[in-house]
Amino acid sequence: MDTLRIQRMNMGSGLQNASGTDKAQPVGDLGVWHVPQYMPGYPTAATIWPRVVIIQCEGDVCPGYEVTPELGRGEYLFFLPTRK
């Protein structure tokens, strides 16, 4: 995948207060991607570690995701696209 887009979600993936999609950026050669996202709460002094959300994509467009408490604390949230 050279280009990947993800749906914007009000409390999750993509630019806030906008509709449509955002272009995702690959994170090195790890197979995960990143887009700007809603980060609830305030920055903490807690250990920072990444979280990965698995998303089923069709072609080069992926549905968005919402940031939920089940994802746990973390400053970096990436997504792993899979094929339907």
Side-chain angles (χ1 to χ4, degrees):
M1 270 181 249
D2 293 330
T3 302
L4 195 59
R5 301 190 68 75
I6 191 164
Q7 292 290 326
R8 294 176 175 149
M9 300 291 287
N10 188 38
M11 300 292 274
S13 58
L15 182 66
Q16 297 300 293
N17 299 320
S19 60
T21 62
D22 273 331
K23 183 178 177 187
Q25 300 295 319
V27 180
D29 60 354
L30 300 174
V32 295
W33 297 71
H34 180 262
V35 289
Q37 63 207 356
Y38 171 75
M39 295 297 289
Y42 299 93
T44 69
T47 302
I48 298 174
W49 63 90
R51 302 278 193 245
V52 176
V53 178
I54 298 172
I55 299 177
Q56 290 189 353
C57 303
E58 286 190 36
D60 65 349
V61 177
C62 301
Y65 57 82
E66 291 185 343
V67 176
T68 63
E70 292 79 20
L71 293 175
R73 297 184 99 162
E75 297 295 322
Y76 299 101
L77 189 59
F78 306 109
F79 69 96
L80 175 65
T82 61
R83 298 286 180 194
K84 281 188 175 183

